[in-house]
Amino acid sequence: ADHATAAGHSWFPGPPPPMYSCTLTPELVAKAREELQEKPEWRLRDEHPTLRTRLDDAFLLRFLRARKFDYDRALQLLLNYHAGRKAWPEVFQDLKPSTVKHVLDLGFLTILPRPDPNGRYILFLQPGKWRPNDYPFVDNVRAIYLTLEKLIQPEETQVNGIVILADYTGVGMSQASNPGPSLAKKVVSILQYVLHGSDLRSLQRNIPPSVLPEDYGGTAGRLDMSAWSRLLLDCEEEFIVEFCQPDPLEGVVLPDSMLFEGGQAGGKDEDAFRGLRSQLYYCY
């Protein structure tokens, strides 16, 4: 079901249907071909590998596009995706919007309603609103991940990418030091920033005023922190299906070389994932 549209959130695209059908405009098809080496000749396959991951085209295309249709690197990314969920239970266990409602209510993050001229949605963060006594910092990471997971669903985002805008007003030493080096390193690995300081003119050279809220010198109305919160909370069931089910890697032993270094595993480990690599091939 198109949860976003069905719930009245027509400003943000819903997820692709279970039976994949390309939703890209002709212009984005051309952009995907040029920038991602993507071709529109998709073929379906019913073979399922040992890894109990999703095999629908809409899901696998995320990884193919992220690695510009390099099949081995796309497989590597898919394995890392599941391995990261297994290795970071404090983020991914019981991950659903209702468990981070307090983060959304605080106004820690939102999505601006208008994409930029390049078709990229803008994730807006206000870390200064959080205080260490409010709740654990990892809850912020959970809210960010749910937001990124929702953002990546539309094919337009997979081709165009996203923009992250962070307002560090009010961030002090207590916030900056609280996550700890290990957690901070993981967060930085997810998010990358271009810093503008307090110069709104510098910001507006990257994000035009027509997209920015009035609070940041734009013309897109007052900043509304509640619209994205409502959209995520209305997708509760969708995230329960995605993140509150048995671990796809449960009982599967993956060598470090396959997970993190892109090396070739041998023997039964290679056999176990040959089918999944083949599934990626047949998406192309």
Side-chain angles (χ1 to χ4, degrees):
D2 187 332
H3 297 287
T5 301
H9 308 291
S10 57
W11 63 275
F12 186 78
M19 293 300 293
Y20 175 74
S21 176
C22 184
T23 60
L24 298 176
T25 64
E27 292 77 15
L28 284 179
V29 168
K31 181 177 181 179
R33 182 186 290 271
E34 179 179 351
E35 297 183 7
L36 306 180
Q37 288 76 58
E38 176 177 345
K39 296 179 182 178
E41 297 85 15
W42 313 115
R43 290 182 288 173
L44 303 180
R45 182 179 173 90
D46 294 326
E47 180 179 331
H48 292 248
T50 302
L51 182 62
R52 298 186 303 276
T53 186
R54 282 176 56 184
L55 294 176
D56 56 286
D57 286 0
F59 180 73
L60 294 180
L61 277 169
R62 300 183 194 178
F63 300 91
L64 287 163
R65 285 170 173 153
R67 291 297 178 261
K68 297 187 177 180
F69 284 77
D70 182 316
Y71 305 117
D72 289 331
R73 293 180 64 226
L75 173 60
Q76 182 83 41
L77 183 62
L78 177 57
L79 294 176
N80 286 347
Y81 171 81
H82 285 299
R85 288 170 57 169
K86 186 174 184 179
W88 206 357
E90 65 269 34
V91 170
F92 291 100
Q93 186 173 3
D94 195 34
L95 183 59
K96 53 189 177 182
S98 60
T99 64
V100 297
K101 185 177 184 297
H102 54 289
V103 181
L104 302 172
D105 290 344
L106 183 68
F108 182 84
L109 62 76
T110 192
I111 299 298
L112 301 187
R114 298 181 185 176
D116 75 358
N118 295 315
R120 303 175 297 186
Y121 279 99
I122 299 171
L123 167 56
F124 177 63
L125 301 171
Q126 296 186 98
K129 288 199 169 186
W130 172 76
R131 297 291 182 271
N133 291 333
D134 293 339
Y135 52 79
F137 180 81
V138 72
D139 288 359
N140 293 329
V141 180
R142 287 164 64 86
I144 290 172
Y145 193 90
L146 282 171
T147 293
L148 292 174
E149 189 74 21
K150 188 64 183 175
L151 276 178
I152 201 63
Q153 286 183 348
E155 294 193 283
E156 295 86 351
T157 300
Q158 296 168 26
V159 174
N160 292 327
I162 65 171
V163 172
I164 297 172
L165 172 61
D167 180 353
Y168 283 96
T169 301
V171 174
M173 287 302 297
S174 61
Q175 292 103 324
S177 61
N178 186 271
S182 176
L183 188 55
K185 182 178 179 181
K186 290 179 178 179
V187 174
V188 170
S189 70
I190 297 175
L191 306 178
Q192 296 181 356
Y193 301 96
V194 175
L195 300 179
H196 296 278
S198 58
D199 185 356
L200 290 181
R201 290 173 300 178
S202 171
L203 172 64
Q204 292 169 6
R205 283 195 292 270
N206 289 271
I207 304 176
S210 61
V211 174
L212 290 170
E214 295 175 3
D215 316 58
Y216 295 87
T219 59
R222 299 289 297 175
L223 181 63
D224 179 9
M225 304 297 293
S226 63
W228 185 252
S229 174
R230 292 193 301 269
L231 189 151
L232 275 186
L233 290 169
D234 285 343
C235 295
E236 177 87 356
E237 182 179 345
E238 173 188 321
F239 283 107
I240 289 175
V241 171
E242 185 69 24
F243 291 109
C244 302
Q245 303 298 320
D247 181 3
L249 290 184
E250 189 66 39
V252 177
V253 178
L254 300 177
D256 290 343
S257 61
M258 176 171 264
L259 279 177
F260 301 110
E261 298 176 6
Q264 293 297 317
K268 63 180 181 180
D269 294 308
E270 176 65 21
D271 291 340
F273 295 98
R274 185 178 293 115
L276 181 53
R277 186 179 289 109
S278 177
Q279 183 75 22
L280 289 167
Y281 292 161
Y282 270 82
C283 248
Y284 186 36

